[in-house]
């Protein structure tokens, strides 16, 4: 009977059987468990485990290759592209190593910094390429240590192109990728997942196809976890290669490198570099249309889709690696047509998570940085532990200074001229500032006909969720309650709700209403009188640039304002209003007036002085309505305040 | 204007002003904050701070003195009394030191162990008396170290009565209480709060009243934090004493010791021991009624109430200390008539908190021990850290073995004969066991006319909350689903709800429906088939005594089943269903069948074999319905199971 019940157990994959031991303390010591509710298993696995899990479950996946750009502006654009293409759900991206571009430096265009940005600021699992040819052991170790420090967990180990003709093997040097693989395993044990390159047609410099296969096997034996191949033009090329690999005992995942043809010149250049031959049937199609970019791209997409379909249909391929050439359209099109571009509107948490391994357990943040997650990540990058489960468990937060408002990953996407058009070439008084805020909320053009699509505190248009409050926000901004952050109250909506949902399905999400704004001291005086009536219901923090701080928060305790209840899990409370962090945030929030807005105007100009006046005299206020099941009372608080002023 | 807004700040006591510093990281480093939401400030303060806070707020308080009993049975009764009198809200209790009763030993009747029980198992702030006369420094230090280890934070430092007439001062020995005070401060710094005794009429052995006052001042100067006085019969006695103390510079709290006269003999004995004189007007009343206990007690209550009123009305007295003589009625009556007995139905957490300083931050426990909190405290007493905020944050739980089911603080209040009447002198089959469970649920007498007021898994009658489920519980127990723990689902009731509420007011509490029961393997087989339909909604753990374990819990993660949302605080989730702890609990739950029930019957008797059969063959099952906003589906699950069986 006992056995029978065991057999009828329905949840076979998740059933745990702990037969035998009847001693509680023994069995509990044996068991290991996560220190945090795993809302998103992906965050807790290393890349090779993710790959294996997808393979086991049969979920097809893709990955994207980028190269570091030449200019800082191009880097800003590339990061936006990471964010957009990240939305399609790549298993990872990789960033190539440009030996000529100072790849391990702190320059904003270096391979290292681009990969760092992808991991930490865009939350993408990232592989950093690294070549070893012509480099010292110390250089390489230094690069690897830096990569580790920045939170990079995956290295693509490559030989790189020898410089010039006179290249000779160095004794004890790094002559081949296999030397780099060995070095990584020697110096960093199992810390990194290592990827190596495979050549479906054999490496052009190899003695033979077979010799190249043997080299590949050496790389795997030395510790590589998986293989990404050079591009190829026919699915048979890859499938044959894969069978040949398996035949000599290569069992790790082999991921085909897909190159959607996007233009005549880029194809020619790539082919030249990789010493590959373009099949005649492709040449025949392309040559006649070589000046028609759109036609070539359409053909490239078509070709890639049909080749990818053949690969996936073979049953031997679980993931596809795309050489994007830093472009979006063709790759995205191929992925969408294959049905593996999976734009999942569900967020694992209400804020974008970082992929740094230190931040794996992080699941609480102050709400203040809701529109500036990259700034929050930057300012907390030195933390050793990240709050998990409860904000109050973390030690007193020491936020790094945000001195450089032009850090490239915080840079506004809009140039100065654009900003002036949105925020006013010339301000005539505080009211013209009110108008800018109001136009941002409403989406209506300003009096010069320009839409206000960003603000110093938010580089993006209004969030969908904030749209729920649009009408009220418009009204209060018009009158000088200059809102920079808000959320409606939510009393148990399904976690799959397209606007306010987050986390796994089957759960319920909740919010306390929140409103944060700048306003004049006259309004603050009236507001404080009104707040007396709401003392037990509304928590407030009111602070000016000098740090004068008025609050009714009990014992400087954080107030959870977003939380979720999920099946079989502990409570998750991803955002809090933390009185201590608020004082760091106010420095940043006030400084943005000057750094992003006032400095658009000449010194001593009236426009600049208006912003400076606001910066010097306004208060930053946040309000939380604790009674989340009732109708949000914060609008009533603001109405009462205006009424008192009249 | 800025100043004006500061002045209008309404929440003066809780306002934090952080003027000046405009550097966020600086100001955040300066600030200190709690590592846990303070749901109940009392838990985080030491006794002298609690006293001061009550004094500042004007809240009157009381405390209760007990002495260690002579027998283990009397100790069990005393602990029940702690629980009952603890409900009235004493600021602390104290336990006297009986030098003749091996007071520092591990005996269940020792002063040390009684005080330990009060702190750890009854959650009462406790002062342990300690006398120093005729003891070595090492003995004393040993006692103090043990007290510290057990979680005792407060010592009443006394000289104690010299043994015999030949007592002489020892050089460098402990001759007076002041020596003990100094020793505690020397050896344990500020760890303990120290109380000393004051004598409103002067100590009987002192040269004079004035000399005794000087001794008292020495004790305070040596480090005592407050004073409790010897009993007295007139309020003027105390008030004069207090003024005299203040006149010579004693500024610490002085708490009057109140002795409600409860009987003629106890009064005579106490008076003899304390060498006090009973005022003539009291003698005049008592002598004529000396054989009428009720009359004397009524008079004693009357007298105590009027004296206490005078003390409180003087404005000089904030707290009253009661010499209970281990009796309940008179003291409780006085306290109720004074209006300072405050039975607060609101619980700080859904379970009774322990007062051990190590457990201050504890706010999560597995639900399994809901009816056996003392067992939970016992089995976790060796933990260094207690879960706070999230169960999963604690290291893998190592529960101590509960070998001795007769540990005195876990002992059933009912004797064996009583239990046999309730649970059956003779069992005729599994059905007679079903009947016992059913009678416990319904409150109806069993077929022999006895009410079943306790069960091996619960020494108390059914909780009010469980009553909400009574009808369904009766139905399922009758058919062999033998429930031992359950809670209804709750979707946001006010935290002040008299039945399911807990925590500070202004909050909302939530629960997932929970059901835990023993049942046969036949029923388990059917249940598992039914559970397939509820796979996404219901989490289950099913285990037998051998540890065969069937569950669909994801990754052995805990499931929060009770949580609360409060104004200005992080989320509190005080109970979880933890898959790992469940395996320790099942050992305890199965063992209770044998230890508490089977062993009532003779070996080899049919009754004993029936219980043994259930122990060996039944499963322990727990079910959680994750969809707390919907109607509880667990009854449907059980109904479906019975239907499948038919």
């Amino acid at each position: 009977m006992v056995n029978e019940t065991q057999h009828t157990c329905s949840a076979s994959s998740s059933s745990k059987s702990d037969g035998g031991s009847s001693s509680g303390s023994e069995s509990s010591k044996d068991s290991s468990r996560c220190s945090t509710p795993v809302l998103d298993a992906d965050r807790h696995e290393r890349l090779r485990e993710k790959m294996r899990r997808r393979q086991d479950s049969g979920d097809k996946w893709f990955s994207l290759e980028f190269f570091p750009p030449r200019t800082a502006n191009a880097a800003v654009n590339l990061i936006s592209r990471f964010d957009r293409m990240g939305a399609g759900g790549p298993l990872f991206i990789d960033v190539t190593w440009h030996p000529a571009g100072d790849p391990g430096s702190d320059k904003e265009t270096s391979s290292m910094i681009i990969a760092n940005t992808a991991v930490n600021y865009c939350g993408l699992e990232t592989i950093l390429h690294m070549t070893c040819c012509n480099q010292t052991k110390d250089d390489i170790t230094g690069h690897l240590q830096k990569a580790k420090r920045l939170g990079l967990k995956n290295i693509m180990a490559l030989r790189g192109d020898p410089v010039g003709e006179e290249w000779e093997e160095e004794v004890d040097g790094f002559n081949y990728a296999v030397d780099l693989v060995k070095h990584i395993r020697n110096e960093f044990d199992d810390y990194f997942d290592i990827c190596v390159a495979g050549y479906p047609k054999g490496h052009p410099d190899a003695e033979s196809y077979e010799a190249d296969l043997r080299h590949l096997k050496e790389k795997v034996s030395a510790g590589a976890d998986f293989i990404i191949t050079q591009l190829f033009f026919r699915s048979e090329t890859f499938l044959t290669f894969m069978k040949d690999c398996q035949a000599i005992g290569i069992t790790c995942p082999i991921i085909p490198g897909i190159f959607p043809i996007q233009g005549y010149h880029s194809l020619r250049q790539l082919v030249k570099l990789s010493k590959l031959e373009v099949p005649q049937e492709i040449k025949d199609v392309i040559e006649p249309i070589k000046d028609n970019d759109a036609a070539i791209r359409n053909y490239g997409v078509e070709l890639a889709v049909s080749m990818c379909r053949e690969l996936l249909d073979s049953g031997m391929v679980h993931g596809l690696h795309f050489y994007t050439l830093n472009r979006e359209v063709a790759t995205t099109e191929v992925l969408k047509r294959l049905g593996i571009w999976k734009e999942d509107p569900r967020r694992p948490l209400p804020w974008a998570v970082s992929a740094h391994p230190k931040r794996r357990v992080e699941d609480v943040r102050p709400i203040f940085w809701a529109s500036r997650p990259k700034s929050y990540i930057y300012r907390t990058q030195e933390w050793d532990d990240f709050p998990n489960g409860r904000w109050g468990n973390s030690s007193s937060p020491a936020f790094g200074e945000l001195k450089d408002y032009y850090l490239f990953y915080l840079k506004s996407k809009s140039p100065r001229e654009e900003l002036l058009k949105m925020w006013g070439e010339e301000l005539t008084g505080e009211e013209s500032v009110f108008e800018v805020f109001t136009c941002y909320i409403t989406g209506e053009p300003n009096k010069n006909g320009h839409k206000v699509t960003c603000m110093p505190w938010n580089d993006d248009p209004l969030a969908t969720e904030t749209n729920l409050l649009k009408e009220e926000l418009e009204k209060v901004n018009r009158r000088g309650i200059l809102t920079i952050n808000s959320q409606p109250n939510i009393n148990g909506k399904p976690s799959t709700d397209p606007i306010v949902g987050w986390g796994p399905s089957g759960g319920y999400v909740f919010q306390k209403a929140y409103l944060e704004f700048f306003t004049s001291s006259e309004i603050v005086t009236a507001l404080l009188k009104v707040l007396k009536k709401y003392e037990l219901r509304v928590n407030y923090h009111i602070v000016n640039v000098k740090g004068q701080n008025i609050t009714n928060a009990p014992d400087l305790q954080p107030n959870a304002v977003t939380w979720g209840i999920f099946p079989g899990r502990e409570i998750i409370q991803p955002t809090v209003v933390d009185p201590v962090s608020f004082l760091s945030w106010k420095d940043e929030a006030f400084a943005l007036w000057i750094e992003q807005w006032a400095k658009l105007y000449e010194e001593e100009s009236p426009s600049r002085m208006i912003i400076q006046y606001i910066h010097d005299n306004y208060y930053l206020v946040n309000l939380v309505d604790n009674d989340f099941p009732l109708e949000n009372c914060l609008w009533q608080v603001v109405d009462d305040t205006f009424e008192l002023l009249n």
Side-chain angles (χ1 to χ4, degrees), chain A residues 193-214:
Chain A
D193 276 15
I194 300 175
C195 175
V196 291
Y199 297 87
K201 291 274 199 184
H203 192 281
D205 296 346
E207 310 95 86
S208 67
Y209 177 75
E210 290 70 24
D212 195 49
L213 277 184
R214 283 195 301 275

Side-chain angles (χ1 to χ4, degrees), chain A residues 97 101-113 143 146:
Chain A
W97 187 257
D102 205 355
S105 75
D106 286 336
K107 284 199 321 191
E108 47 210 29
T109 55
S110 79
S111 300
M112 186 71 80
I113 293 304
H143 291 326
K146 184 169 184 174

Side-chain angles (χ1 to χ4, degrees), chain A residues 274-308:
Chain A
S274 60
K275 300 179 186 161
L276 288 173
E277 241 179 76
V278 179
Q280 193 57 45
E281 71 266 25
I282 296 181
K283 283 187 191 161
D284 288 348
V285 178
I286 282 186
E287 285 294 338
I289 54 170
K290 67 180 177 184
D291 296 322
N292 185 340
D293 285 352
I296 290 194
R297 199 172 60 203
N298 287 344
Y299 171 67
V301 166
E302 209 59 60
L303 201 63
V305 167
S306 74
M307 189 170 76
C308 289

Side-chain angles (χ1 to χ4, degrees), chain A residues 215-251:
Chain A
H215 290 317
L216 182 57
K217 183 156 188 207
E218 278 168 32
K219 291 195 279 189
V220 174
S221 304
D225 298 295
F226 50 92
I227 296 162
I228 295 179
T229 76
Q230 179 58 289
L231 64 93
F232 50 88
F233 294 100
R234 292 187 184 115
S235 58
E236 313 87 73
T237 310
F238 176 82
L239 296 172
T240 306
F241 169 72
M242 193 156 175
K243 281 172 203 150
D244 293 339
C245 285
Q246 288 170 344
I248 63 161
I250 295 174
T251 56

